[in-house]
Amino acid sequence: MLAALDRAFAEAKEAAPAVLFIDELDSVSQRDAREFNATYMRGVVNGLLEQINKAKDVEGLILLGATNYVDAVDSAVIRSGRFDLKLHLPYPDKGGLEASLPG
């Protein structure tokens, strides 16, 4: 996981200007989790934090993240200075659903 994370950030930096999209930010877990693999996941969160901090210095690199469970994301990952703009997108209403369906 850490190698894939490093590779994704390296490719985005090399391709800048670029957008790096991290989907399911909640799947990274939290550093204080009491799970079976908590030590490993703490390392993954720390690795993500390190990469995000480095990405701030790359001109033209935009970092986007998404989650359905913002409460499950480690607070250090989504604090100001890492992900500054936070948008809540509610479920579409009936009109929005109908507008998105063909025909």
Side-chain angles (χ1 to χ4, degrees), residues 38-68:
T39 302
Y40 175 76
M41 291 310 294
R42 186 176 307 114
V44 171
V45 173
N46 288 336
L48 177 60
L49 294 171
E50 180 181 347
Q51 292 294 345
I52 290 171
N53 289 339
K54 289 179 183 178
K56 290 188 301 188
D57 298 329
V58 179
E59 186 174 337
L61 180 58
I62 297 171
L63 184 60
L64 297 175
T67 180
N68 290 323

Side-chain angles (χ1 to χ4, degrees), residues 11-20 58-62:
E11 290 172 6
K13 290 173 190 175
E14 191 171 311
V19 174
L20 177 58
V58 179
E59 186 174 337
L61 180 58
I62 297 171

